[in-house]
Amino acid sequence: LAVIHDSGQEFHSMMIIRHGHVVAEGWWYPFSAGLHQQLYSLSKSFTGTAIGMAIDEKRLKLDDPVISFFPKDQPSAISTNLAALKVRHLLSMSVGQEKDSILTLEHTPEGTTWEETFLSLPVVYQPGSRFLYNSGASYMLSSIVKQVSGQNVHAFLKSRLYDPLGITGATWTENREGVNMGASDLRIRTEDIGKLGQLYLRQGRWNGRQLVSPHWVTLATKKEIDTGKNDSSWGYGYG
């Protein structure tokens, strides 16, 4: 507790799960077990899970070109790098753009979709060649789920993930086109975060049901790209 206090970080909750059982948990006042927490970038793990489920259902493939999902939002001139951008590059944060695109997307003028804005940005580097943390990529994954399923990612996950895991009361911010942010703004309880972790530790199986394939679990939990020097906090690679 002294280390936590001295860190200067604002802690809301802590839950330690071992062998499928909660062995310690606690909340810092005024937070409580029933509170739905803002997950920030942990939301990306739920978006990625939705993509895995959609792939399991053969709604899309990892190597599908991103532009193929958005025929109405493509720029008039499609560069070689943009044409080469695939779903797997969005997942592994190797889009090839020069900077995180999320702030640019959030300032998209009325009458233009976020997808159109994203696809208009220069893809400077060959997709897959460089890591750059890019929350705009996660937004595009969320939008792809809507394109292939007819549901936003939040609705898509309800019967496939939330209901089986007993996740209730979750909310997820949408943009004006009704697409969930994908990269952030999902709100669930601390216990629900633990459930997602347990699902992956159990190879995608929950109470006798295979919710996401073991193949996807393997792909989602292995290193896909180098992220920086090994002596930095970003040096462990990204999945």
Side-chain angles (χ1 to χ4, degrees):
L1 289 176
V3 173
I4 289 174
H5 180 269
D6 292 343
S7 72
Q9 299 296 319
E10 180 184 274
F11 278 70
H12 294 191
S13 61
M14 179 181 68
M15 179 173 286
I16 300 173
I17 303 171
R18 181 168 172 78
H19 301 314
H21 300 283
V22 177
V23 297
E25 60 183 325
W27 282 261
W28 278 254
Y29 181 81
F31 304 102
S32 63
L35 182 69
H36 289 71
Q37 298 276 357
Q38 158 69 279
L39 296 198
Y40 296 96
S41 282
L42 182 54
S43 306
K44 293 177 173 70
S45 293
F46 287 81
T47 303
T49 300
I51 288 288
M53 290 174 166
I55 288 174
D56 288 344
E57 294 173 12
K58 302 189 185 309
R59 297 175 183 268
L60 75 154
K61 299 186 289 294
L62 272 176
D63 288 318
D64 284 342
V66 173
I67 58 172
S68 68
F69 299 101
F70 307 104
K72 296 180 180 180
D73 297 306
Q74 297 176 14
S76 55
I78 299 174
S79 68
T80 301
N81 283 346
L82 178 59
L85 181 62
K86 300 175 180 178
V87 173
R88 67 168 64 250
H89 301 133
L90 299 177
L91 287 160
S92 61
M93 297 292 185
S94 59
V95 173
Q97 295 172 342
E98 282 196 299
K99 63 180 182 179
D100 187 348
S101 58
I102 192 64
L103 292 179
T104 304
L105 299 189
E106 290 175 352
H107 287 87
T108 297
E110 287 193 34
T112 302
T113 66
W114 288 26
E115 294 77 10
E116 186 177 349
T117 296
F118 182 91
L119 295 174
S120 72
L121 297 173
V123 182
V124 178
Y125 308 106
Q126 181 181 353
S129 65
R130 296 184 181 219
F131 171 82
L132 175 73
Y133 196 77
N134 190 338
S135 289
S138 300
Y139 169 80
M140 292 299 286
L141 291 170
S142 175
S143 186
I144 286 170
V145 170
K146 188 173 183 182
Q147 292 296 320
V148 301
S149 72
Q151 299 176 293
N152 65 26
V153 71
H154 192 48
F156 181 83
L157 287 174
K158 187 179 186 305
S159 63
R160 294 167 173 85
L161 185 73
Y162 300 160
D163 290 348
L165 268 58
I167 296 175
T168 59
T171 60
W172 205 336
T173 302
E174 304 174 358
N175 70 357
R176 58 178 172 257
E177 281 87 36
V179 180
N180 297 117
M181 300 301 287
S184 188
D185 290 297
L186 173 62
R187 299 167 191 86
I188 60 175
R189 299 167 302 175
T190 303
E191 180 182 4
D192 301 328
I193 299 171
K195 290 175 179 177
L196 183 72
Q198 283 296 301
L199 177 68
Y200 274 84
L201 286 171
R202 296 173 181 174
Q203 296 300 300
R205 196 168 183 81
W206 191 269
N207 289 340
R209 287 181 58 189
Q210 194 72 46
L211 303 185
V212 62
S213 68
H215 177 65
W216 179 259
V217 171
T218 298
L219 288 177
T221 55
K222 74 181 184 71
K223 177 180 173 180
E224 292 288 342
I225 190 168
D226 287 324
T227 52
K229 295 180 180 179
N230 289 332
D231 59 355
S232 75
S233 61
W234 283 95
Y236 301 105
Y238 196 84

